Structure formats: structure tokens, C-alpha cells
Amino acid sequence: MTGDPGDPGEPRTLQDPLAESLRVVDLATDRGLLVRLMGGMAIRAHAPDWPARTRRVEVDLDFATRGKDRGAFYELLASEGYTADKRHNALFGGKQAYFVDVPRKRPVDVLVDSLEMCHRFEFADRLSKSTPTLPLAELLLSKLQIVKINRKDVLDALVLLAEHPLAQDDGAPDARTGQGAINVPRILSFTSNDWGWWRTVTGNLDTLDQYLAVELTPEDLDLNNGRSVLFEPGAQVAALRTAITDAPKSTRWKLRSRVGERQTWYQDPEEMGHN
């Protein structure tokens, strides 16, 4: 069953999580709302046939929007058959909302204006720079900000670096019709002004290097499309590290660097329960 919207006896939502997440973004765009993919479906949007991700069982949908549009987007989700966690959304809906596609047992998270895990970044003014996902710099930062990074997130970061150029801007605004780019100045705005961001990102670049040297298998970056990745990932990691190292650092960064790891430089992300 395809689960086409409106089919009698079928959920309104689509069975394939990537197709469904793209459908929701397009519906939001049609209503003049700025909504973008993040998380696993955002990575899949940039590498839809990548076996290392498509064989995972995750079906979660993660969306990013801005405070101005959150109410209308919550209404859109409800109208498309998603059930709100009313208690959670009443408490936290100003910055994060939770819905479920009950027939498909598919959870949906909506972040508003910012991502806050081990580190924090705001994205409200960046939503218009790229579609259907958050800009690539933010997608990469969402992986490199994880202090206890795992293999899944390492591979997600590597495929982003292997498939997109490092650049001074975000590249094509629509990833479905042009080549997006990883905006290096955007990354440097964090790593050059916040020592904590710098410490976590550079530490994770070391982890990526270690993975490439010791654990990488040919299947890890096989995109299942008959071609090699566009960029050598090790060279991309090295180039990004050089840019981060060479960039001038703020006074705030320099003062915090004197304290170093004697003081915790990150937050422990909290898991929120849902009804």
C-alpha cells in the first residue's frame, strides 16, 4: 500500500517517511510557512538511496520552523492527521512540539527557532537559505555538536562532507535542483567565538579522521547510485579543520580557552517524555 493522502481506509500520510516529510514541507511552503527538514530525514533528502541510512529502521520526522509560523504549522500537522501531545506542547510548544502519526507509529518533533542539545544554535533567520532541509552548515553542526558522537552520526557527518563542497555561502537554495554547499563562515561564527563549540567540533573532526583511518568500509559511503562520492572525505575534514584553526578568535574565545577542560564546556541534553 502506498498510503496516498485521501485514500479511503488509508492514513492521510505517506508510508515512506522521506516522501512524507517532503510532502509536509511542500504543504507548509504552499501556505507561506518556513518549515525545513532536520535530523535523519534531512540526511536522507541529500542521499536518498544511501544504504547506510536507508537500512536503518528509524522513521522519526524532525522539522524546524520559526516562532512566527509555529502555530500555523501545528495546525497543518493536525489537519494532516498528526496527533499532538497536548501536555508536552502546552509546556514546551514555544520551542519544541511533539506529534505522532498514530496509524504509522511515527513520531514527529518540531523545533522552533533553535536547536539546543550539547550546544545551541539559532536557525530562524537561516530557514530561507535552503530547502527542503536546513542549510548544510546547520545539518553538519547538528552532528558535530554531539559530545558523545556515535557511528551513525559520524557517518551522517561524513556523507555531508563527501557530497558537498566547502564554500563561502550556502550554494543552491533548493537541493532538489542545484548543489548546496557547506557554509564555512557560518561554522566559524561558532567555533571562533565560543571555545566550547570549538572544542567539541574539533574533537569530532578528530573522531571522523580516526573513523576514516581505522573503521571505514567501502559500503559506508556507497550511495547506491553507481558513482563515487564527490569529495574525498579526509581532505574535506582536513580543509574544515584548517579553516577553523586559522580563523581569528574572539576575546571571549581566548578567555574561555584559558580555563580549558577544567570546566565543562557543553550541556547534557535532556530527554523529554511524551504521552
Coordinates of all heavy atoms in Angstrom, one line a residue, residues 4 23 64 167 239 272:
D4 N -1.5 6.8 -0.2 CA -1.7 8.2 -0.8 C -2.6 9.0 0.0 O -3.7 8.4 0.4 CB -2.2 8.0 -2.3 CG -1.2 7.4 -3.2 OD1 0.0 7.6 -2.9 OD2 -1.6 6.7 -4.2
R23 N 6.5 15.9 1.6 CA 5.2 16.4 1.4 C 4.7 17.4 2.4 O 4.1 18.5 2.0 CB 4.2 15.2 1.5 CG 2.7 15.5 1.2 CD 1.9 14.3 1.3 NE 1.6 14.0 2.7 CZ 0.5 14.5 3.4 NH1 -0.3 15.3 2.8 NH2 0.3 14.2 4.7
A64 N 12.1 21.9 11.4 CA 12.5 23.1 12.0 C 11.6 24.2 11.5 O 11.3 24.3 10.3 CB 13.9 23.4 11.7
A167 N 32.3 26.0 1.2 CA 32.2 27.2 0.4 C 32.0 28.4 1.4 O 31.9 28.3 2.6 CB 31.1 27.1 -0.6
A239 N 40.4 20.2 5.4 CA 40.2 21.6 5.0 C 39.3 22.3 6.0 O 39.6 23.5 6.3 CB 39.5 21.6 3.6
M272 N 13.0 14.3 26.9 CA 11.7 14.7 27.4 C 10.7 13.5 27.1 O 10.7 13.0 26.0 CB 11.2 15.9 26.7 CG 12.0 17.2 27.1 SD 11.3 18.6 26.2 CE 12.5 19.9 26.8

